[in-house]
Amino acid sequence: MTGPQRVLITGGASGIGRAMADAFREDGALVHVADVDGTADLPPGEGFTVADVSDPGEVDRLFDDVVTGFGGLDVLCANVGIAGPTGPVEELEASDWDRTMAVNVRSAFLCCRRSVPLLRKAGGGSILLTASTAGITGYPLRSAYAASKYAVVGLGKTLAMEVGELGIRVNVICPGSVDGERIDRVIAAESTATGVPEANLRAGYEKQVSMRTFVEGRDIGAMAVFLASPAARFVNGQTISVDGGLETLRNSWRT
Ligand code: NAD
């Protein structure tokens, strides 16, 4: 590859995706962001497609934009994910289950499907899927989310085997609890479902981590930049946590 890396980040308008975009940009890459939220205030000149990446037609439109803007692609960060429903499995709605799978898993499949031919044409590249520690340990009251993240891990592992010989590396990043609005929403939903005060839940989440802390978006961004870099040229097919050492996701109110 010559010239700056051309990087597509889904869900890049806020949260972890935004932090990934910042990290790649600071590393000298060209960044294109896709997000369903078109109100984001992105840096001038940054490529941006407003799209629901769970929809095949919208993903096709996104990749048309990427090819027009970049002429190709070197790195896909399929990062979009929603929290899905919170509650015991017998109380979940099938529609909520299906939406969680569509946004968290189908979006990654659709973006990988369009990226592989571009990465092959570029002579190789990197695919980074954002899963979650919930996709390693399970996560009580979040069965749809945990199942979707196990699926993302399975997609990454399998795709690495399919495309490794093309020089395309595929790795899965599993963030732990990341400080920010998203974890605040997760804790609020869990508080509603359980009646446990939000402060107790938050303290419980921190206690689940060996380092007794949440991580930050920039920690995930730094891992993404490393995994896409030549320094990681033989890191492939891996599921890598950035979580301060998560010991369990068993909710503290149950332990
Ligand atoms: P977030 O909710 O802060 O941001 C997600 C972004 O994705 C938003 O900008 C949203 O508009 C966008 N988005 C949502 N649905 C979309 C769709 N269908 N099409 C296009 N864009 C869409 O979430 P986050 O915390 O940044 O999470 C990013 C990823 O990290 C997700 O896959 C999430 O499951 C995972 N993760 C987050 C945490 C955490 O604590 N925040 C922990 C583990 C894993």
Side-chain angles (χ1 to χ4, degrees):
M1 192 196 78
T2 54
Q5 275 183 325
R6 300 161 296 181
V7 183
L8 168 61
I9 301 172
T10 72
S14 66
I16 292 171
R18 179 74 179 249
M20 283 180 175
D22 292 343
F24 274 107
R25 207 180 309 105
E26 281 160 22
D27 195 54
L30 301 173
V31 174
H32 189 103
V33 162
D35 204 287
V36 74
D37 177 3
T39 64
D41 185 19
L42 295 177
E46 186 135 301
F48 186 26
T49 301
V50 180
D52 176 349
V53 291
S54 67
D55 180 283
E58 299 206 11
V59 169
D60 283 343
R61 185 168 53 76
L62 163 64
F63 276 81
D64 290 348
D65 284 358
V66 168
V67 170
T68 303
F70 283 167
L73 188 68
D74 302 302
V75 180
L76 165 69
C77 297
N79 163 73
V80 153
I82 54 172
T86 301
V89 74
E90 66 271 25
E91 291 177 14
L92 302 187
E93 298 292 339
S95 57
D96 291 335
W97 180 277
D98 288 348
R99 184 68 191 146
T100 308
M101 290 295 164
V103 175
N104 294 7
V105 189
R106 188 169 62 190
S107 69
F109 152 67
L110 292 171
C111 291
C112 289
R113 188 170 71 162
R114 286 298 310 264
S115 292
V116 166
L118 296 176
L119 299 177
R120 184 195 288 129
K121 201 169 162 197
S126 199
I127 293 177
L128 301 174
L129 307 179
T130 306
S132 166
T133 43
I136 298 175
T137 65
Y139 194 177
L141 301 186
R142 297 280 299 285
S143 54
Y145 183 74
S148 76
K149 294 303 188 180
Y150 272 84
V152 170
V153 170
L155 171 65
K157 198 86 190 161
T158 302
L159 193 55
M161 296 164 82
E162 283 186 19
V163 299
E165 65 196 42
L166 304 173
I168 303 171
R169 296 182 297 107
V170 186
N171 290 292
V172 181
I173 302 177
C174 291
S177 296
V178 177
D179 226 350
E181 288 175 20
R182 158 76 164 254
I183 196 73
D184 293 346
R185 292 197 300 270
V186 163
I187 288 172
E190 196 173 325
S191 178
T192 304
T194 62
V196 178
E198 290 183 28
N200 298 22
L201 290 171
R202 192 177 177 91
Y205 275 107
E206 283 173 356
K207 273 194 206 144
Q208 293 168 342
V209 177
S210 307
M211 294 181 78
R212 301 286 190 260
T213 183
F214 286 5
V215 302
E216 294 181 22
R218 65 191 168 108
D219 302 304
I220 316 301
M223 177 58 81
V225 168
F226 166 70
L227 287 174
S229 75
R233 66 194 178 124
F234 293 130
V235 182
N236 186 35
Q238 301 303 305
T239 300
I240 299 166
S241 297
V242 181
D243 60 8
L246 183 88
E247 296 165 10
T248 178
L249 267 175
R250 175 157 283 283
N251 311 73
S252 55
W253 57 270
R254 287 186 164 196
T255 55

